[in-house]
Amino acid sequence: MSRARQPPLVTGISPNEGIPWTKVTIRGENLGTGPTDLIGLAICGHNCLLTAEWMSSSKIVCRVGQTKNDRGDIIVTTKSGGKGTSTVSFKLLKPERIGILDQSAVWVDEMNHYDMRTDRNKGIPPLSLRPANPLGIDIEKSKFPQKDLEMLFHGMSADFTSENFSAAWYLIENHSTTSFEQLKMAVNNLKKQANKKNEGSLAYVKGGLSTFFEAQDALSAIHQKLEADGTEKVEGSMTQKLENVLNRASNTADTLFQEVLGRKDKADSTRNALNVLQRFKFLFNLPLSIERNIQKGDYDVVINDYEKAKSLFGKTEVQVFKKYYAEVETRIEALRDLLLDKLLETPSTLHDQKRYIRYLSDLHAPGDPAWQCIGAQHQWILQLMHDCKDGIGDLYDWCLSFPGSLHSAMLDLDNDVSSSMLGHLSQTASLKRGSSFQSGQDGTWRCKTPHRVVFVEKLAKLVLSHLPNFWKLWISYANGSLFSETAEKSGQIERIKNVRQRQNDFKKMIQELIHSLVKLTRGALLPFTIKDGDVKQYGGWDGKASLSGQWLTHVVQTVRLTYESLTALEIPNDMLQAIQELILDLRVCCVMVTLQHTAEEIKRLAEKEDWLVDNEGLTSLPCQFEQCIVLSLQALSSVLECKPGEASVFQHPKTQEEVCRLSVSIMQIFIHCLEQLSSKPDADIDTTHLSADVSSPDLFGSVHEDFTLTSEQRLLIVLSNCRYLERHTFLNIAEHFEKHSFQGIEKITQVSMASLKELDQRLFENYIELKADPIVGSLEPGIYAGCFDWKDCLPSTGVRNYLKEALVNIIAVHAEVFTLSKGLVPRVLSRVVEAVSEELSRLMQCVSSFSKHGALQARLEICALRDAVAIYLTPESKSSFKQALEVLPQLSSGADKKLLEELLNKFKSSMYLQLTCFQTSSPTMMKT
């Protein structure tokens, strides 16, 4: 805690004696921390607090009041220090009474002229005496640099009339070469001046004191004699006779000297009139001087002259002075009106506004001109904001009528706005994928700039141009820096009262400007967020094409810069909350629009499918899809980023749900594109090139450049793309969503994966049906060709042709799949083998009985097929082969087993080239 303050201590008072109502200066220590801390001041027992003026903690100025005590202490009482003490006392003198015939020592020194124009703000009375040489010796100016003296005596002054007067500085500056003897003479001069000042008018009174006493004694003796005789009122008495004698003497003197005295009186009157004209020519010339200075714009000179005239003649009773002073007041009133008109003119700079307000405060203009200026500026800015919309609309209507003039019109509209938009477009050039921003001519982007974007740019620039000055004007009004020291001091209490009352009014003005900015922007970009009653005033943009995500991003950056600029002015955050809400709504809208436009671009990806596959059987479509989403998210990165004080775009559950829905929709739209491509008629396919792996054997002739894709081949390519999407693309997109703080990523991934797997399974089943059914359907006719009977058949000589044909067909499927997408070979061949094995098992189970040779033949064909496609066997196909073998009778003799093995080896040897495609498949391929 801070230490308690010491009680006040008065150590000096100047002057230390005087009559009642003498102005005194009290000096001491701990005399209070401010005007409100001073609660008591008594001199000789009289309360002088009413006239006290607190200057500092060591100085108080007041006037001595009427008191009974002729000497007493000076007691100061403060809130912080309590009741104080005094080391000095004040002597109260009784005022002297001067009769109408008594002489009075009065002297007015008119030689020390005081120029109020140059010393207006120094707080010295106009008629104060300022001796040019207080020491009374020759002044010898020194050659010391002024800057060095200012640094040596920091905060002090060489002016002996200043409160911070430094005697050392004065001596160095004016008497640095003066001898010591001359300085001793200067000390004596100062003592003489001090003695004269202390004696004052008492010196004259003391010199004629005996005369006053003699006159008093004579008058008292006459009065006592008359009272004793009792004849002062009797006709014919001595007093009556004396009165008559005096009257006759006066009449005779008047008769003798009437002409002489008349001429003297006339000369005196003329002389007095000339003296008055000469002495007060300042007042008589002031009306014309004021008018001339007003025409020249020298308002400071006019105000200084007016202040001087007011202090000299403001309370005069002389009719001539009253008349001329009234003329001065008339001119000043006209000046007040002129300055007020200039103050309320728009546009005007902040410097001019402050200057005119200071002039009006110095002229004591009625009302509150500063507040009137604030109100006028508020209405003007509002009007400019509403006119901005009409100006943009008229410009674009004219440009539509004269398209060739649009470029120059946009340049004239606002070079700064055009430059900022150009910079923004250069930054977002990579995002313009086939959009309307692309143009083949340099500079024609201005023609494509949406007029609503131009409107928001213009509106933001207008606010940033005028609102800071408007805010600074209020700050200057609130802290009193708009007013001069004299005006502020005289009206400080009233001004503080006005500031408190009008603080809420100004807050409403700022809020109205901010809300107008927000509503005008919402009306142009987010019309669905404003009330129906405000649509007519702030809307009116119906029928216009919606903005793209790139333009909305640009608008978000513009509004953000506006918010940051207003925040830098230290405007309270509660006043700028509406802009924060606007930024959030614009960011949400930008995300939604960008996702919707992305969905539209995804729909058009099917048209860009060129069916050119790489070694993995993939086309460029999955990469185009991923790149499209990544570019859209990159375009949204600045929008999704939370600046200081901003909330997350996804803070509202409805926004999260809508973004999640749009994201799922984008995925499903692409899946639908894949489905469309898989079922597209052959006539609609415009593909004449197909890449193949040169290392793979071409079993059915080389692929020519004019090769046209079949529906089965398109199914394989789409299946390959689906496989890549599931294993790579969708996972990458989920990572990008997570990187940009999207919500509901797990749901997006699950729903998208489910839809993709459903499509993949459906297309896969279609392809298997197209390839496996012919093979399966050829088994039964091939087995029983030539009226073959398992009960009555010749000894087996090898695998029959139907099985070889089935294997060749399986190899053809392998070749087709291997050519387009190696990764799909295990999946497709496994299903084909499952279908063939299942059919073969069914056919074996349908046979009622087998002969010895029939059982050997059946076992040979089943084992030959199983061994040929062993690499593609699955648990289901193995089970089918097992069931088929279990139906057959077991081989009883070793000769049959040996024969079976020889026939199998013979089959494998004869079909070696054809079965190579199965044997060269690596385990890695099985895992994929």
Side-chain angles (χ1 to χ4, degrees):
M1 296 180 61
S2 62
R3 190 179 60 183
R5 294 186 63 86
Q6 297 295 326
L9 174 63
V10 177
T11 59
I13 183 170
S14 176
N16 58 4
E17 63 178 11
I19 63 175
W21 307 115
T22 299
K23 188 174 184 179
V24 296
T25 300
I26 301 171
R27 297 187 181 275
E29 301 174 357
N30 304 319
L31 301 184
T33 59
T36 58
D37 193 36
L38 183 64
I39 60 175
L41 175 59
I43 300 178
C44 298
H46 183 267
N47 187 0
C48 302
L49 183 61
L50 186 62
T51 61
E53 183 177 2
W54 186 90
M55 308 300 291
S56 66
S57 61
S58 61
K59 179 180 178 181
I60 298 175
V61 178
C62 70
R63 290 188 180 274
V64 181
Q66 294 281 1
T67 179
K68 296 179 180 179
N69 302 327
D70 58 352
R71 181 180 291 275
D73 294 336
I74 301 93
I75 305 300
V76 177
T77 306
T78 63
K79 292 181 181 179
S80 58
K83 188 174 182 181
T85 58
S86 173
T87 61
V88 295
S89 61
F90 182 82
K91 181 179 180 181
L92 187 67
L93 303 176
K94 294 183 179 181
E96 302 173 3
R97 296 181 181 180
I98 301 176
I100 58 175
L101 298 179
D102 296 336
Q103 295 182 355
S104 177
V106 177
W107 177 260
V108 178
D109 186 3
E110 296 180 352
M111 297 303 294
N112 295 321
H113 176 67
Y114 175 75
D115 189 356
M116 199 169 181
R117 299 183 186 180
T118 59
D119 295 338
R120 171 172 170 256
N121 291 325
K122 295 183 179 179
I124 301 175
L127 296 180
S128 63
L129 302 181
R130 306 175 73 181
N133 187 4
L135 297 182
I137 59 178
D138 295 337
I139 296 177
E140 299 178 4
K141 290 288 185 179
S142 68
K143 297 182 180 180
F144 287 95
Q146 190 69 18
K147 292 184 178 180
D148 294 346
L149 292 174
E150 291 178 356
M151 293 178 61
L152 184 61
F153 300 99
H154 181 69
M156 307 302 287
S157 173
D159 185 1
F160 56 84
T161 62
S162 174
E163 290 185 3
N164 300 324
F165 171 66
S166 172
W169 188 351
Y170 179 82
L171 291 175
I172 292 174
E173 187 175 41
N174 297 288
H175 300 285
S176 59
T177 59
T178 303
S179 63
F180 183 71
E181 294 298 329
Q182 288 181 322
L183 292 177
K184 289 172 66 177
M185 292 174 59
V187 172
N188 294 330
N189 292 336
L190 288 176
K191 290 181 178 180
K192 291 178 181 179
Q193 293 178 19
N195 292 333
K196 288 182 180 179
K197 195 171 183 180
N198 291 333
E199 290 178 1
S201 60
L202 291 177
Y204 181 80
V205 174
K206 290 178 180 178
L209 192 59
S210 59
T211 305
F212 295 152
F213 289 154
E214 291 175 1
Q216 175 68 21
D217 292 340
L219 291 175
S220 297
I222 294 173
H223 182 68
Q224 292 174 1
K225 181 66 175 176
L226 293 176
E227 284 184 346
D229 293 345
T231 59
E232 68 275 11
K233 295 182 180 180
V234 179
E235 184 68 27
S237 63
M238 181 183 67
T239 56
Q240 186 68 40
K241 293 178 180 179
L242 182 59
E243 182 180 358
N244 293 334
V245 171
L246 291 176
N247 287 334
R248 286 196 301 272
S250 175
N251 293 333
T252 303
D254 290 342
T255 302
L256 292 174
F257 298 99
Q258 183 174 8
E259 183 178 356
V260 176
L261 293 177
R263 287 196 303 270
K264 181 180 179 299
D265 291 341
K266 186 175 181 180
D268 291 342
S269 300
T270 304
R271 190 179 300 107
N272 291 336
L274 292 175
N275 289 337
V276 169
L277 289 175
Q278 180 64 28
R279 185 174 181 180
F280 301 103
K281 63 180 180 180
F282 164 74
L283 177 62
F284 299 139
N285 295 332
L286 188 56
L288 183 60
S289 175
I290 289 176
E291 190 169 347
R292 290 176 179 175
N293 288 326
I294 289 176
Q295 292 177 355
K296 292 189 295 183
D298 293 338
Y299 303 122
D300 282 315
V301 176
V302 175
I303 294 173
N304 289 333
D305 290 344
Y306 174 65
E307 288 289 344
K308 181 179 178 181
K310 186 176 181 180
S311 63
L312 294 174
F313 307 102
K315 298 181 180 180
T316 183
E317 296 297 332
V318 180
Q319 294 300 322
V320 176
F321 294 166
K322 280 187 175 182
K323 180 179 179 181
Y324 276 87
Y325 185 74
E327 188 67 23
V328 171
E329 286 288 356
T330 302
R331 298 289 197 279
I332 294 299
E333 186 62 31
L335 177 60
R336 291 192 188 105
D337 296 338
L338 174 64
L339 292 176
L340 184 60
D341 293 339
K342 288 182 175 291
L343 176 63
L344 300 182
E345 282 181 0
T346 54
S348 61
T349 63
L350 181 62
H351 173 73
D352 289 340
Q353 292 169 2
K354 289 184 175 181
R355 190 160 56 95
Y356 292 138
I357 291 173
R358 188 179 295 273
Y359 291 154
L360 289 169
S361 67
D362 289 341
L363 293 174
H364 308 288
D368 194 347
W371 182 251
Q372 290 178 329
C373 177
I374 292 175
Q377 289 293 312
H378 168 249
Q379 294 299 327
W380 178 61
I381 297 174
L382 277 179
Q383 188 62 39
L384 285 180
M385 294 171 66
H386 287 281
D387 292 344
C388 181
K389 173 185 171 183
D390 299 334
I392 294 295
D394 295 342
L395 175 64
Y396 268 82
D397 291 341
W398 179 79
C399 291
L400 292 175
S401 302
F402 303 95
S405 304
L406 180 59
H407 178 70
S408 60
M410 287 301 298
L411 289 177
D412 294 338
L413 174 66
D414 195 327
N415 289 330
D416 294 338
V417 174
S418 300
S419 300
S420 64
M421 287 190 291
L422 179 59
H424 178 65
L425 289 176
S426 64
Q427 295 175 1
T428 57
S430 62
L431 301 180
K432 302 172 186 175
R433 304 178 302 277
S435 64
S436 61
F437 297 122
Q438 296 176 348
S439 174
Q441 298 180 357
D442 184 22
T444 56
W445 62 269
R446 293 183 179 87
C447 301
K448 298 179 181 294
T449 304
H451 55 294
R452 285 180 288 175
V453 175
V454 177
F455 166 70
V456 174
E457 286 270 5
K458 192 78 173 178
L459 189 63
K461 182 184 178 184
L462 187 150
V463 171
L464 293 182
S465 299
H466 300 293
L467 192 56
N469 288 339
F470 182 64
W471 177 260
K472 292 175 183 177
L473 182 63
W474 161 255
I475 295 300
S476 300
Y477 176 81
N479 60 27
S481 61
L482 284 177
F483 313 99
S484 63
E485 296 179 3
T486 305
E488 182 182 3
K489 189 174 180 181
S490 61
Q492 186 174 13
I493 299 177
E494 185 67 22
R495 183 183 61 78
I496 295 175
K497 183 178 180 182
N498 289 340
V499 169
R500 291 175 179 174
Q501 292 176 348
R502 288 167 177 167
Q503 188 170 6
N504 292 332
D505 295 337
F506 181 77
K507 184 177 180 181
K508 292 179 181 178
M509 289 182 182
I510 289 291
Q511 289 176 341
E512 185 177 3
L513 292 175
I514 297 298
H515 288 164
S516 295
L517 169 65
V518 170
K519 289 182 179 179
L520 286 170
T521 305
R522 288 183 181 276
L525 305 175
L526 306 172
F528 54 87
T529 63
I530 59 177
K531 299 179 180 179
D532 295 338
D534 295 335
V535 172
K536 183 177 180 180
Q537 183 178 3
Y538 300 102
W541 302 89
D542 297 337
K544 309 296 182 181
S546 60
L547 295 179
S548 64
Q550 289 87 352
W551 285 120
L552 285 174
T553 302
H554 177 76
V555 170
V556 169
Q557 293 177 355
T558 301
V559 179
R560 275 176 168 172
L561 289 175
T562 304
Y563 176 80
E564 292 173 2
S565 300
L566 296 180
T567 305
L569 296 175
E570 299 182 356
I571 298 178
N573 290 332
D574 58 337
M575 295 185 182
L576 302 178
Q577 184 61 32
I579 300 182
Q580 278 284 25
E581 295 173 357
L582 171 63
I583 293 174
L584 178 60
D585 291 347
L586 285 174
R587 291 167 62 203
V588 171
C589 180
C590 182
V591 172
M592 300 300 181
V593 170
T594 301
L595 293 179
Q596 291 171 359
H597 287 190
T598 302
E600 294 297 327
E601 291 185 15
I602 298 299
K603 286 182 181 179
R604 293 191 291 270
L605 284 181
E607 302 172 2
K608 301 179 181 180
E609 177 61 277
D610 53 10
W611 299 103
L612 293 176
V613 297
D614 58 10
N615 292 335
E616 299 296 328
L618 301 175
T619 65
S620 62
L621 202 61
C623 292
Q624 292 183 30
F625 170 63
E626 182 178 351
Q627 184 182 17
C628 183
I629 293 182
V630 170
L631 290 176
S632 297
L633 293 177
Q634 289 177 352
L636 289 174
S637 59
S638 62
V639 175
L640 295 174
E641 180 186 2
C642 293
K643 298 292 184 180
E646 292 183 357
S648 172
V649 173
F650 307 105
Q651 69 172 355
H652 296 299
K654 291 184 178 179
T655 304
Q656 297 178 14
E657 294 176 3
E658 185 64 19
V659 171
C660 182
R661 184 190 67 79
L662 289 173
S663 302
V664 171
S665 175
I666 290 174
M667 301 291 198
Q668 292 179 339
I669 286 173
F670 183 69
I671 294 172
H672 181 67
C673 289
L674 294 176
E675 185 176 7
Q676 286 181 326
L677 290 173
S678 67
S679 60
K680 199 171 185 180
D682 295 341
D684 296 338
I685 303 299
D686 187 17
T687 303
T688 56
H689 295 81
L690 179 66
S691 66
D693 189 351
V694 295
S695 64
S696 62
D698 189 354
L699 302 179
F700 306 99
S702 61
V703 179
H704 302 286
E705 290 187 354
D706 59 349
F707 184 81
T708 303
L709 290 175
T710 63
S711 59
E712 292 89 348
Q713 291 172 333
R714 292 202 308 275
L715 278 174
L716 280 175
I717 294 174
V718 174
L719 283 171
S720 181
N721 287 339
C722 289
R723 178 171 172 268
Y724 185 81
L725 287 170
E726 179 182 352
R727 298 187 179 186
H728 300 284
T729 304
F730 278 13
L731 298 179
N732 294 341
I733 291 174
E735 291 180 0
H736 286 292
F737 280 154
E738 184 176 2
K739 179 181 177 181
H740 289 84
S741 304
F742 271 57
Q743 303 296 316
I745 300 176
E746 184 177 354
K747 179 181 178 181
I748 297 172
T749 305
Q750 289 178 352
V751 175
S752 303
M753 286 290 190
S755 300
L756 180 63
K757 290 180 179 179
E758 181 184 355
L759 173 64
D760 176 80
Q761 188 62 30
R762 190 166 62 252
L763 296 181
F764 181 73
E765 294 296 338
N766 291 341
Y767 183 78
I768 294 300
E769 183 179 351
L770 290 173
K771 294 300 181 181
D773 285 359
I775 299 174
V776 170
S778 65
L779 289 178
E780 186 172 2
I783 290 175
Y784 296 105
C787 299
F788 180 81
D789 188 2
W790 296 108
K791 298 178 182 180
D792 184 16
C793 63
L794 298 175
S796 175
T797 57
V799 176
R800 291 185 292 172
N801 290 333
Y802 84 90
L803 188 61
K804 294 180 180 179
E805 292 177 359
L807 280 174
V808 169
N809 290 332
I810 293 175
I811 292 172
V813 174
H814 178 279
E816 182 180 61
V817 177
F818 187 85
T819 301
L820 293 177
S821 178
K822 299 182 182 70
L824 289 176
V825 171
R827 182 183 179 190
V828 173
L829 267 293
S830 297
R831 282 297 305 274
V832 172
V833 170
E834 285 181 6
V836 173
S837 63
E838 183 180 354
E839 178 64 14
L840 192 59
S841 175
R842 184 187 69 81
L843 292 174
M844 294 298 106
Q845 292 178 5
C846 291
V847 178
S848 59
S849 62
F850 293 88
S851 65
K852 178 180 178 182
H853 297 300
L856 181 61
Q857 184 67 36
R859 189 175 294 275
L860 172 63
E861 292 173 352
I862 292 173
C863 291
L865 179 61
R866 182 192 63 186
D867 294 345
V869 296
I871 195 172
Y872 300 114
L873 291 180
T874 63
E876 290 78 7
S877 57
K878 289 180 180 179
S879 175
S880 297
F881 280 119
K882 183 179 179 181
Q883 291 176 3
L885 292 174
E886 289 176 351
V887 174
L888 301 178
Q890 299 293 327
L891 297 178
S892 58
S893 64
D896 292 339
K897 294 181 180 179
K898 184 177 181 181
L899 178 61
L900 175 64
E901 184 176 354
E902 292 176 355
L903 293 175
L904 281 174
N905 292 333
K906 178 182 176 182
F907 166 74
K908 294 177 181 179
S909 177
S910 62
M911 294 287 291
Y912 174 76
L913 292 178
Q914 290 83 350
L915 298 179
T916 302
C917 64
F918 299 143
Q919 296 175 359
T920 56
S921 300
S922 63
T924 304
M925 185 178 296
M926 288 295 295
K927 292 180 182 180
T928 57

CSV table of all heavy atoms in Angstrom, one decimal, residues 622-641:
chain,number,residue,atom,x,y,z
A,622,PRO,N,-9.5,-40.1,-61.7
A,622,PRO,CA,-9.4,-40.0,-60.2
A,622,PRO,C,-8.5,-38.8,-59.8
A,622,PRO,O,-8.8,-38.1,-58.9
A,622,PRO,CB,-8.8,-41.3,-59.8
A,622,PRO,CG,-9.3,-42.3,-60.9
A,622,PRO,CD,-9.2,-41.4,-62.2
A,623,CYS,N,-7.4,-38.6,-60.6
A,623,CYS,CA,-6.5,-37.5,-60.2
A,623,CYS,C,-7.1,-36.2,-60.5
A,623,CYS,O,-6.9,-35.2,-59.7
A,623,CYS,CB,-5.2,-37.6,-61.0
A,623,CYS,SG,-4.2,-39.1,-60.6
A,624,GLN,N,-7.9,-36.1,-61.6
A,624,GLN,CA,-8.6,-34.8,-61.8
A,624,GLN,C,-9.6,-34.6,-60.7
A,624,GLN,O,-9.8,-33.4,-60.3
A,624,GLN,CB,-9.3,-34.9,-63.2
A,624,GLN,CG,-8.4,-34.9,-64.4
A,624,GLN,CD,-9.1,-34.9,-65.7
A,624,GLN,OE1,-10.2,-34.4,-65.8
A,624,GLN,NE2,-8.6,-35.5,-66.7
A,625,PHE,N,-10.3,-35.6,-60.3
A,625,PHE,CA,-11.3,-35.4,-59.2
A,625,PHE,C,-10.6,-35.0,-57.9
A,625,PHE,O,-11.0,-34.0,-57.3
A,625,PHE,CB,-12.0,-36.8,-59.0
A,625,PHE,CG,-12.8,-36.8,-57.7
A,625,PHE,CD1,-13.9,-36.0,-57.6
A,625,PHE,CD2,-12.5,-37.7,-56.7
A,625,PHE,CE1,-14.7,-36.1,-56.4
A,625,PHE,CE2,-13.3,-37.8,-55.5
A,625,PHE,CZ,-14.4,-36.9,-55.4
A,626,GLU,N,-9.5,-35.6,-57.6
A,626,GLU,CA,-8.8,-35.2,-56.3
A,626,GLU,C,-8.2,-33.8,-56.5
A,626,GLU,O,-8.3,-33.0,-55.5
A,626,GLU,CB,-7.6,-36.2,-56.1
A,626,GLU,CG,-6.8,-35.9,-54.8
A,626,GLU,CD,-5.8,-36.9,-54.5
A,626,GLU,OE1,-5.7,-37.9,-55.2
A,626,GLU,OE2,-5.0,-36.6,-53.6
A,627,GLN,N,-7.7,-33.5,-57.6
A,627,GLN,CA,-7.1,-32.2,-57.8
A,627,GLN,C,-8.2,-31.1,-57.8
A,627,GLN,O,-8.0,-30.0,-57.2
A,627,GLN,CB,-6.4,-32.1,-59.2
A,627,GLN,CG,-5.7,-30.8,-59.4
A,627,GLN,CD,-5.0,-30.7,-60.8
A,627,GLN,OE1,-5.4,-31.5,-61.7
A,627,GLN,NE2,-4.1,-29.8,-61.0
A,628,CYS,N,-9.3,-31.4,-58.3
A,628,CYS,CA,-10.4,-30.4,-58.3
A,628,CYS,C,-10.8,-30.1,-56.8
A,628,CYS,O,-11.0,-28.9,-56.4
A,628,CYS,CB,-11.6,-31.0,-59.0
A,628,CYS,SG,-13.0,-29.9,-59.1
A,629,ILE,N,-10.9,-31.1,-56.0
A,629,ILE,CA,-11.3,-30.9,-54.6
A,629,ILE,C,-10.2,-30.2,-53.8
A,629,ILE,O,-10.4,-29.3,-53.0
A,629,ILE,CB,-11.6,-32.3,-53.9
A,629,ILE,CG1,-12.9,-32.8,-54.5
A,629,ILE,CG2,-11.8,-32.1,-52.4
A,629,ILE,CD1,-13.4,-34.1,-53.9
A,630,VAL,N,-8.9,-30.6,-54.1
A,630,VAL,CA,-7.8,-30.0,-53.4
A,630,VAL,C,-7.7,-28.5,-53.7
A,630,VAL,O,-7.5,-27.6,-52.9
A,630,VAL,CB,-6.5,-30.7,-53.8
A,630,VAL,CG1,-5.3,-29.9,-53.3
A,630,VAL,CG2,-6.5,-32.1,-53.2
A,631,LEU,N,-7.9,-28.2,-55.0
A,631,LEU,CA,-7.8,-26.7,-55.4
A,631,LEU,C,-9.0,-26.0,-54.8
A,631,LEU,O,-8.8,-24.8,-54.4
A,631,LEU,CB,-7.9,-26.6,-57.0
A,631,LEU,CG,-6.7,-27.1,-57.7
A,631,LEU,CD1,-6.9,-27.1,-59.2
A,631,LEU,CD2,-5.4,-26.3,-57.3
A,632,SER,N,-10.1,-26.6,-54.7
A,632,SER,CA,-11.2,-25.9,-54.0
A,632,SER,C,-10.9,-25.6,-52.6
A,632,SER,O,-11.2,-24.6,-52.0
A,632,SER,CB,-12.5,-26.7,-54.2
A,632,SER,OG,-12.9,-26.8,-55.5
A,633,LEU,N,-10.4,-26.6,-51.9
A,633,LEU,CA,-10.0,-26.5,-50.5
A,633,LEU,C,-8.9,-25.4,-50.3
A,633,LEU,O,-8.9,-24.7,-49.3
A,633,LEU,CB,-9.6,-27.8,-49.9
A,633,LEU,CG,-10.7,-28.9,-49.8
A,633,LEU,CD1,-10.1,-30.2,-49.2
A,633,LEU,CD2,-11.8,-28.4,-48.9
A,634,GLN,N,-7.9,-25.4,-51.2
A,634,GLN,CA,-6.9,-24.4,-51.2
A,634,GLN,C,-7.5,-23.0,-51.3
A,634,GLN,O,-7.1,-22.0,-50.7
A,634,GLN,CB,-5.8,-24.7,-52.2
A,634,GLN,CG,-5.0,-25.9,-51.9
A,634,GLN,CD,-4.0,-26.1,-53.1
A,634,GLN,OE1,-4.1,-25.5,-54.1
A,634,GLN,NE2,-3.1,-27.1,-52.8
A,635,ALA,N,-8.5,-22.9,-52.2
A,635,ALA,CA,-9.1,-21.6,-52.4
A,635,ALA,C,-9.9,-21.2,-51.1
A,635,ALA,O,-10.0,-20.0,-50.9
A,635,ALA,CB,-10.1,-21.7,-53.6
A,636,LEU,N,-10.3,-22.1,-50.3
A,636,LEU,CA,-11.0,-21.8,-49.1
A,636,LEU,C,-10.1,-21.7,-47.9
A,636,LEU,O,-10.6,-21.4,-46.8
A,636,LEU,CB,-12.0,-22.9,-48.8
A,636,LEU,CG,-13.3,-23.0,-49.7
A,636,LEU,CD1,-14.1,-24.2,-49.4
A,636,LEU,CD2,-14.1,-21.8,-49.6
A,637,SER,N,-8.8,-21.9,-48.1
A,637,SER,CA,-7.9,-22.0,-46.9
A,637,SER,C,-7.9,-20.6,-46.2
A,637,SER,O,-8.0,-20.6,-44.9
A,637,SER,CB,-6.5,-22.3,-47.4
A,637,SER,OG,-6.0,-21.3,-48.3
A,638,SER,N,-7.9,-19.5,-46.9
A,638,SER,CA,-7.9,-18.2,-46.2
A,638,SER,C,-9.3,-18.0,-45.6
A,638,SER,O,-9.3,-17.3,-44.5
A,638,SER,CB,-7.6,-17.1,-47.2
A,638,SER,OG,-8.6,-17.1,-48.2
A,639,VAL,N,-10.3,-18.5,-46.1
A,639,VAL,CA,-11.7,-18.3,-45.6
A,639,VAL,C,-11.8,-19.2,-44.3
A,639,VAL,O,-12.4,-18.7,-43.3
A,639,VAL,CB,-12.7,-18.7,-46.6
A,639,VAL,CG1,-14.1,-18.6,-46.0
A,639,VAL,CG2,-12.6,-17.7,-47.8
A,640,LEU,N,-11.3,-20.4,-44.4
A,640,LEU,CA,-11.5,-21.3,-43.2
A,640,LEU,C,-10.6,-20.9,-42.1
A,640,LEU,O,-10.9,-21.2,-40.9
A,640,LEU,CB,-11.2,-22.7,-43.6
A,640,LEU,CG,-12.1,-23.3,-44.7
A,640,LEU,CD1,-11.6,-24.7,-45.1
A,640,LEU,CD2,-13.5,-23.4,-44.1
A,641,GLU,N,-9.5,-20.2,-42.4
A,641,GLU,CA,-8.6,-19.8,-41.3
A,641,GLU,C,-9.2,-18.7,-40.4
A,641,GLU,O,-9.9,-17.8,-40.9
A,641,GLU,CB,-7.3,-19.2,-41.9
A,641,GLU,CG,-6.3,-18.7,-40.9
A,641,GLU,CD,-5.1,-18.0,-41.6
A,641,GLU,OE1,-5.1,-17.8,-42.8
A,641,GLU,OE2,-4.2,-17.5,-40.9
